Amino acid sequence: MAIVRTHKPLDWRAIAAVAAGETLILSADAQAKIRSARALVEQIVARSIRAYGVNTGVGALCDVVVSQDEQHDLSHNILMSHAVGVGESLGAEETRAIMAAAINNFAHGHSGVRLDVVERLAALLDANCLPEVPAFGSVGYLSHMAHIALVCVGAGHVRWNGERLSGAQALHRLGLQPLSLEAKEGLSLVNGTPCVTGLAALALERAERLLDWADVVAAMSFENLGGQIAAFDTRSLAFRVSPGLACVGERLRAALAGSSLLEISLGRRTQDPLSVRTIPHVHGAARDTLAATIEVVNRELASVTDNPIVAGTPESPQVYSQAHAVGASIALAMDSLATAIAQVAAMAERRLDRLVNPLVSGLPAFLAHTGGTRSGFMIAQYTAASLVAQNRREAAPASLDGGVTSGLQEDHLCHATPAALKALAIIENSNRILGIELLAAAQAYDLQPLGAARAPYTDALYASVRASVPTYRDDRPLSEDMTFAFRLVANGAPPPLSGPARGDSTAGTREANVDIAPAQGATGVAVNTYPGVIGV
């Protein structure tokens, strides 16, 4: 179903949907707002009203006046000088998300670019003809959108249908001419926070899915370790006020209902280790952080983040040249979400360690079928520990990195886009950690010395794994199984619970007892590397 940008801003789910391949359409209202803003810029130019980046230079050159004859060159040259990204290119979803966020920002009607410019971005999206956007080189914004905008003027490169083309070649195949930018358009194309809001929308989607998996994988480990189900008691959890904690507690009770393994373990210990009994507290805190981050991202999408902003009427145009392009709030939110997900993954690795440690698990050492000649999951735990350590390094707050640029003019930097990129990296690492825990929990079920039944839900989840991955006997590289588990967790939702809504501590999430559609790639093709597995 197409996503329509009306007079109302898109929210993060809409951006994520476009990133996954949905078409983005501008309504007549949105088009009218864009045209009205352009009329204001034309009046500013005609009346020589001083406006940053319209008839002045940018950055430390903001006091250098630019004549009308030079304003085209200024816009064009801004793209060339700001296209300074380095490193590997962003993925298709990441690029589409940024482009969708940029279109949303222009449709507020306060940027002043021509409708032709916005429609050019929409045409590239619609054709899935995606600019090459180097991932690194931004202290906040600028470089990512500059590389996207290059294609609009026939420069840069794209990836299209598996082929690398120059921007000029791509436009020719689309039957389009390179745009000649006019006053302010170069600055508006690189300015604002579309890069971080687009990436943040993807981070929210992936974090929400990860937290759903974290609950059910933790339930499997809890059951294997004979945890004391009283830790998830409704009355006990109610003493702490947290929507996320209440949500996770209900999900865990639903996942573990009817477990004979847990019935046998009742009263065995007074308290379980913290990595076992505080699952609602840690996962719940992460859900509360996710809810807060959703609010910030949606506010950012609803905000005008251009500089300068144009407003007023053609008879009395107004220019606001302040600091709305700086994404301090979303940088802090991305840092917070990254830390929350890193903590969830760190505790998953601790449960994994307990599963493989015969001193505490009551299971064969390292979940190996034969001791001595087989190592089982011994070294897989090393991998998880390594990823936890990497997450810890990545979780250092980008928003505090600071720096000074543009000849002291830009002497405070929030690093919002790097914060979002770090969050995405931590989510990916954490999916891998959860995948390893999922495999280990399935292996632990195979080796359970107790002849008791699993809960119906965990039994179904175990069966879905075993439908594609047999018990591990050191008979194949374990990394292949780990790749399967990573894709399972990263690309699809877990089997639905009959309890509370998915992520119901956040606004607008879907119901848990509704089937979740397979994850879609940017081309709209379902990712299903392992057919027959629930949730993929």
Side-chain angles (χ1 to χ4, degrees):
M1 183 175 67
I3 303 299
V4 181
R5 181 25 165 117
T6 65
H7 64 285
K8 295 181 179 179
L10 301 179
D11 65 8
W12 74 271
R13 285 201 188 279
I15 298 293
V18 175
E22 293 290 355
T23 300
L24 177 56
I25 298 172
L26 288 168
S27 71
D29 285 344
Q31 293 178 38
K33 282 189 171 184
I34 293 169
R35 289 193 185 97
S36 295
R38 184 62 203 173
L40 296 176
V41 171
E42 290 169 355
Q43 286 300 309
I44 290 167
V45 170
R47 300 183 191 188
S48 297
I49 298 171
R50 189 163 178 171
Y52 172 78
V54 179
N55 44 34
T56 76
V58 297
L61 302 175
C62 62
D63 293 323
V64 178
V65 175
V66 176
S67 69
Q68 286 192 28
D69 291 340
E70 297 173 308
Q71 287 166 15
H72 159 77
D73 289 343
L74 173 61
S75 276
H76 184 83
N77 294 345
I78 283 174
L79 296 193
M80 301 302 148
S81 64
H82 287 54
V84 293
V86 296
E88 296 294 323
S89 296
L90 294 176
E93 284 197 344
E94 287 78 7
T95 303
R96 289 181 63 88
I98 293 172
M99 294 171 71
I103 292 170
N104 175 72
N105 193 41
F106 295 142
H108 287 309
H110 292 285
S111 293
V113 300
R114 288 169 297 158
L115 182 59
D116 288 350
V117 173
V118 186
E119 289 180 334
R120 180 59 49 87
L121 292 173
L124 293 172
L125 266 180
D126 189 51
N128 205 39
C129 181
L130 303 181
E132 285 189 352
V133 184
F136 304 110
S138 171
V139 296
Y141 44 95
L142 302 177
S143 67
H144 294 80
M145 275 304 301
H147 283 276
I148 290 170
L150 285 179
V151 178
C152 296
V153 299
H157 290 86
V158 303
R159 291 283 179 179
W160 194 15
N161 297 328
E163 189 176 0
R164 186 175 191 256
L165 303 171
S166 71
Q169 290 173 317
L171 293 180
H172 178 72
R173 291 195 187 181
L174 286 169
L176 301 170
Q177 293 295 319
L179 291 174
S180 178
L181 298 183
E182 298 182 3
K184 195 181 185 295
E185 291 180 333
L187 180 58
S188 288
L189 279 166
V190 303
N191 219 334
T193 63
C195 20
V196 61
T197 47
L199 296 172
L202 290 181
L204 292 174
E205 180 187 51
R206 294 171 189 178
E208 181 183 64
R209 184 163 56 233
L210 179 147
L211 291 175
D212 285 352
W213 274 106
D215 292 344
V216 299
V217 173
M220 295 174 73
S221 294
F222 184 92
E223 191 175 32
N224 272 301
L225 294 168
Q228 301 302 298
I229 195 67
F232 307 149
D233 181 77
T234 306
R235 292 163 297 181
S236 173
L237 295 181
F239 286 108
R240 178 172 285 275
V241 179
S242 162
L245 178 144
C247 168
V248 175
E250 189 171 352
R251 286 172 58 81
L252 290 169
R253 291 191 297 273
L256 294 168
S259 171
S260 297
L261 280 170
L262 292 185
E263 287 180 10
I264 292 174
S265 68
L266 282 174
R268 186 186 300 171
R269 287 180 295 275
T270 303
Q271 283 187 345
D272 289 312
L274 285 171
S275 63
V276 177
R277 63 183 157 98
T278 65
I279 296 168
H281 302 75
V282 174
H283 291 196
R287 285 180 179 271
D288 290 341
T289 300
L290 176 65
T293 306
I294 285 172
E295 287 190 22
V296 171
V297 175
N298 281 340
R299 287 202 304 267
E300 197 77 9
L301 288 165
S303 300
V304 180
T305 65
D306 210 333
N307 180 37
I309 289 169
V310 296
T313 65
E315 295 72 29
S316 180
Q318 303 294 317
V319 181
Y320 298 92
S321 178
Q322 305 305 327
H324 291 312
V326 175
S329 60
I330 198 168
L332 291 167
M334 285 293 98
D335 279 341
S336 181
L337 180 65
T339 302
I341 297 300
Q343 185 173 118
V344 168
M347 196 166 76
E349 185 277 328
R350 289 293 79 211
R351 289 191 302 270
L352 169 65
D353 182 66
R354 300 192 77 82
L355 287 173
V356 303
N357 188 339
L359 299 177
V360 294
S361 69
L363 298 164
F366 306 109
L367 303 177
H369 270 270
T370 302
T373 61
R374 296 177 182 173
S375 300
F377 280 73
M378 177 193 293
I379 310 303
Q381 186 265 327
Y382 285 35
T383 300
S386 172
L387 292 171
V388 167
Q390 184 178 347
N391 277 354
R392 189 176 297 114
R393 293 188 292 270
E394 293 277 5
S399 52
L400 288 181
D401 283 349
V404 180
T405 58
S406 195
L408 299 180
Q409 178 70 6
E410 297 175 357
D411 57 355
H412 179 76
L413 306 174
C414 295
H415 296 269
T417 299
L421 288 169
K422 289 193 319 88
L424 288 168
I426 285 173
I427 291 167
E428 179 169 325
N429 286 342
S430 301
N431 280 329
R432 295 186 186 279
I433 294 165
L434 284 175
I436 297 171
E437 184 187 7
L438 174 63
L439 292 176
Q443 184 87 349
Y445 282 137
D446 294 332
L447 299 172
Q448 272 291 341
L450 303 173
R454 295 178 284 272
Y457 181 87
T458 55
D459 185 63
L461 186 52
Y462 163 81
S464 73
V465 174
R466 284 289 172 258
S468 295
V469 178
T471 299
Y472 187 66
R473 302 178 185 275
D474 288 49
D475 52 349
R476 59 188 183 273
L478 188 51
S479 64
E480 295 176 4
D481 292 9
M482 290 160 57
T483 298
F484 155 77
F486 164 68
R487 290 175 176 166
L488 175 64
V489 172
N491 292 337
L497 285 162
S498 57
R502 287 187 68 229
D504 70 348
S505 63
T506 66
T509 52
R510 294 165 288 190
E511 292 296 320
N513 56 359
V514 176
D515 289 337
I516 306 301
Q520 302 290 314
T523 58
V525 178
V527 179
N528 193 3
T529 308
Y530 298 90
V533 178
I534 295 176
V536 175

Coordinates of all heavy atoms in Angstrom, one line a residue, residues 52 57-62 82 139-142 187 191 307 322 325-326 402-415:
Y52 N 20.4 33.6 4.7 CA 21.5 32.7 4.7 C 21.4 31.6 3.6 O 20.3 31.0 3.5 CB 21.6 32.1 6.1 CG 22.6 30.9 6.2 CD1 24.0 31.2 6.3 CD2 22.2 29.6 6.2 CE1 24.9 30.2 6.5 CE2 23.1 28.6 6.4 CZ 24.5 28.9 6.5 OH 25.4 27.9 6.6
G57 N 26.9 33.3 1.4 CA 27.6 32.0 1.5 C 27.1 31.2 2.7 O 26.2 31.6 3.4
V58 N 27.7 30.1 2.9 CA 27.3 29.2 4.0 C 28.4 29.0 5.0 O 29.6 29.2 4.7 CB 26.8 27.8 3.4 CG1 25.6 28.0 2.5 CG2 27.9 27.1 2.6
G59 N 28.0 28.5 6.2 CA 29.0 28.3 7.2 C 29.7 29.6 7.6 O 29.0 30.6 7.8
A60 N 31.0 29.6 7.7 CA 31.7 30.8 8.1 C 31.7 31.9 7.0 O 32.1 33.0 7.2 CB 33.2 30.4 8.4
L61 N 31.1 31.5 5.8 CA 31.0 32.5 4.7 C 29.6 33.1 4.7 O 29.2 33.7 3.7 CB 31.3 31.8 3.4 CG 32.6 31.1 3.2 CD1 32.7 30.4 1.9 CD2 33.7 32.2 3.3
C62 N 28.9 33.1 5.9 CA 27.5 33.5 5.9 C 27.4 35.0 5.7 O 26.3 35.5 5.4 CB 26.9 33.1 7.2 SG 27.7 33.8 8.7
H82 N 30.0 19.5 -0.6 CA 29.5 18.8 0.6 C 29.4 17.3 0.4 O 29.1 16.6 1.3 CB 28.1 19.3 0.9 CG 28.1 20.7 1.6 ND1 28.7 21.8 1.0 CD2 27.5 21.1 2.8 CE1 28.5 22.8 1.8 NE2 27.8 22.5 2.9
V139 N 29.3 14.9 10.7 CA 29.3 15.2 12.1 C 27.8 15.5 12.6 O 27.6 15.8 13.7 CB 30.2 16.4 12.4 CG1 31.6 16.1 12.1 CG2 29.8 17.7 11.6
G140 N 26.9 15.5 11.6 CA 25.5 15.8 12.0 C 24.6 15.6 10.9 O 23.6 14.9 11.0
Y141 N 24.9 16.2 9.7 CA 24.1 16.0 8.5 C 25.0 16.3 7.3 O 26.1 16.0 7.3 CB 22.8 16.9 8.5 CG 23.0 18.3 9.0 CD1 23.2 19.3 8.1 CD2 23.0 18.6 10.4 CE1 23.4 20.6 8.6 CE2 23.1 19.9 10.8 CZ 23.3 20.9 9.9 OH 23.5 22.2 10.4
L142 N 24.5 16.9 6.3 CA 25.2 17.4 5.1 C 25.6 16.4 4.1 O 25.1 16.3 3.0 CB 26.4 18.3 5.5 CG 26.1 19.5 6.4 CD1 27.4 20.2 6.8 CD2 25.1 20.5 5.7
L187 N 21.4 24.4 -0.7 CA 21.5 24.3 0.7 C 20.4 23.5 1.3 O 20.6 22.6 2.2 CB 21.4 25.7 1.3 CG 21.5 25.8 2.8 CD1 22.8 25.2 3.4 CD2 21.4 27.3 3.3
N191 N 20.7 20.2 3.9 CA 20.5 20.7 5.2 C 19.4 19.9 6.0 O 18.8 19.0 5.4 CB 20.0 22.1 5.2 CG 20.6 23.0 6.3 OD1 21.0 22.5 7.3 ND2 20.7 24.3 6.0
N307 N 17.4 25.2 7.4 CA 18.0 26.5 7.8 C 18.5 27.2 6.6 O 19.5 26.7 5.9 CB 19.1 26.3 8.8 CG 19.8 27.6 9.2 OD1 19.1 28.6 9.4 ND2 21.1 27.6 9.4
Q322 N 18.2 30.3 11.9 CA 18.6 30.0 13.3 C 19.3 28.6 13.3 O 20.2 28.4 12.6 CB 17.4 30.0 14.2 CG 16.7 31.4 14.2 CD 17.6 32.6 14.5 OE1 18.5 32.5 15.2 NE2 17.3 33.7 13.8
A325 N 18.3 23.0 12.1 CA 18.9 21.8 11.4 C 19.8 21.0 12.4 O 20.2 19.9 12.0 CB 19.8 22.3 10.3
V326 N 20.0 21.5 13.6 CA 20.8 20.8 14.6 C 19.9 19.7 15.3 O 18.9 20.1 15.9 CB 21.4 21.7 15.6 CG1 22.2 21.0 16.7 CG2 22.4 22.7 14.8
G402 N 31.4 16.2 20.2 CA 31.8 17.6 20.0 C 32.7 17.8 18.7 O 32.6 17.1 17.7
G403 N 33.5 18.9 18.7 CA 34.3 19.2 17.6 C 34.0 20.7 17.2 O 33.1 21.3 17.6
V404 N 34.9 21.2 16.3 CA 34.8 22.6 15.8 C 35.0 22.5 14.3 O 36.0 22.0 13.8 CB 35.8 23.5 16.5 CG1 35.7 24.9 15.9 CG2 35.7 23.5 18.0
T405 N 34.1 23.1 13.6 CA 34.2 23.1 12.1 C 33.9 24.5 11.6 O 33.4 25.4 12.3 CB 33.2 22.1 11.5 OG1 31.9 22.4 11.9 CG2 33.5 20.7 11.9
S406 N 34.1 24.7 10.3 CA 33.8 25.9 9.6 C 34.3 27.2 10.2 O 33.6 28.2 10.4 CB 32.3 26.0 9.4 OG 31.9 27.0 8.4
G407 N 35.6 27.2 10.5 CA 36.3 28.4 11.0 C 35.6 29.0 12.2 O 35.4 30.2 12.3
L408 N 35.3 28.1 13.2 CA 34.7 28.5 14.5 C 33.2 28.9 14.4 O 32.6 29.1 15.4 CB 35.5 29.6 15.2 CG 36.9 29.4 15.5 CD1 37.5 30.6 16.2 CD2 37.1 28.2 16.4
Q409 N 32.7 28.9 13.2 CA 31.3 29.3 13.0 C 30.4 28.1 13.6 O 29.4 28.4 14.3 CB 30.9 29.5 11.6 CG 29.4 29.8 11.3 CD 29.0 31.2 11.8 OE1 29.9 32.0 12.3 NE2 27.7 31.5 11.8
E410 N 30.8 26.9 13.3 CA 30.0 25.8 13.8 C 30.9 25.1 14.9 O 31.6 24.1 14.6 CB 29.7 24.8 12.7 CG 28.7 25.5 11.7 CD 28.4 24.7 10.4 OE1 29.0 23.6 10.3 OE2 27.7 25.2 9.6
D411 N 30.8 25.6 16.1 CA 31.7 25.2 17.2 C 31.0 24.3 18.2 O 31.5 24.2 19.4 CB 32.3 26.4 17.8 CG 31.3 27.4 18.4 OD1 30.1 27.2 18.1 OD2 31.7 28.4 19.0
H412 N 29.8 23.8 17.9 CA 29.2 22.8 18.7 C 28.5 21.8 17.8 O 27.6 22.2 17.0 CB 28.1 23.4 19.7 CG 27.5 22.4 20.6 ND1 28.1 21.8 21.6 CD2 26.3 21.8 20.5 CE1 27.3 20.9 22.2 NE2 26.2 20.9 21.5
L413 N 28.9 20.5 17.9 CA 28.4 19.5 17.0 C 27.7 18.4 17.8 O 28.2 17.9 18.9 CB 29.5 18.9 16.2 CG 30.3 19.9 15.4 CD1 31.5 19.3 14.8 CD2 29.5 20.6 14.4
C414 N 26.5 17.9 17.4 CA 25.8 16.9 18.1 C 25.9 15.5 17.6 O 25.5 14.6 18.2 CB 24.3 17.3 18.1 SG 23.9 18.8 19.0
H415 N 26.5 15.4 16.4 CA 26.8 14.0 15.8 C 25.5 13.1 15.8 O 25.6 12.0 16.2 CB 27.9 13.4 16.6 CG 29.2 14.1 16.5 ND1 30.1 13.8 15.5 CD2 29.7 15.1 17.2 CE1 31.2 14.6 15.6 NE2 31.0 15.4 16.7

